[in-house]
Amino acid sequence: EPGGSYLAVVWEAGRTRHRGDYTDLDSRVMSLSVHRKLKSPGFGLDGLDLDVGARRETNAHGYTDLANRSAYLRVSADRRWAQVTWSLGAMLQRALFDGALLESMAARRDRYLMLDAAAEVSLGPGRTARLEVVSARNAANLAMFENRYRQVMATVALAW
């Protein structure tokens, strides 16, 4: 589209394969996602990204506790101010597993939330510095799958 905006629809089908003792994790995966990037969408923003998708994974050996359906929504926005590009993003994901690991357990249900913020500055042609902070949490109906993830990254990119 004019101005760098775009709409992409991606359908993927594939297989995951593992070696040795991990072949029970082999699966078939299908996913559909829609990506929308808007340049200068208004509201004082320089860019707005919207992503939505759904995925179905079935275990190649029939293990229902490893088969799941999931869907996600991601929104991120950026704005250039004071010679820095500022970005904020959020992603929500929900996963529903087909069966339980043990008969005495419920089938796994996950709710995942990720928030991220970044600042990027140009250091000259083909050179940038970026600082990014990510915080994520998976809330599950089974405590063994609950987790938190926090990361701070500083990167310098050079193109030659």
Side-chain angles (χ1 to χ4, degrees), residues 40-54:
S40 302
F43 312 106
L45 299 174
D46 295 323
L48 182 66
D49 295 330
L50 304 168
D51 300 299
V52 63

Side-chain angles (χ1 to χ4, degrees), residues 120-140:
E120 184 174 288
V121 63
S122 175
L123 301 175
R127 297 186 308 263
T128 59
R130 182 177 177 89
L131 179 64
E132 185 169 3
V133 177
V134 177
S135 180
R137 179 170 189 256
N138 190 62

Side-chain angles (χ1 to χ4, degrees), residues 47-118:
L48 182 66
D49 295 330
L50 304 168
D51 300 299
V52 63
R55 171 185 163 110
R56 174 70 174 139
E57 182 174 355
T58 56
N59 181 267
H61 303 284
Y63 301 130
T64 59
D65 62 306
L66 297 175
N68 68 82
R69 297 174 311 279
S70 63
Y72 75 92
L73 170 66
R74 176 164 171 70
V75 177
S76 62
D78 59 86
R79 173 150 194 222
R80 185 149 177 85
W81 180 74
Q83 305 208 358
V84 176
T85 300
W86 304 88
S87 302
L88 292 173
M91 183 177 98
L92 300 170
Q93 180 175 309
R94 176 91 172 163
L96 307 172
F97 287 75
D98 292 358
L101 176 62
L102 302 171
E103 287 184 24
S104 61
M105 301 173 90
R108 181 177 165 189
R109 304 287 184 253
D110 289 358
R111 292 176 317 278
Y112 179 81
L113 170 64
M114 182 179 76
L115 303 171
D116 60 90

Side-chain angles (χ1 to χ4, degrees), residues 133-137 147-153:
V133 177
V134 177
S135 180
R137 179 170 189 256
N147 62 66
R148 290 182 184 267
Y149 173 82
R150 294 182 187 106
Q151 183 177 36
V152 176
M153 297 174 287

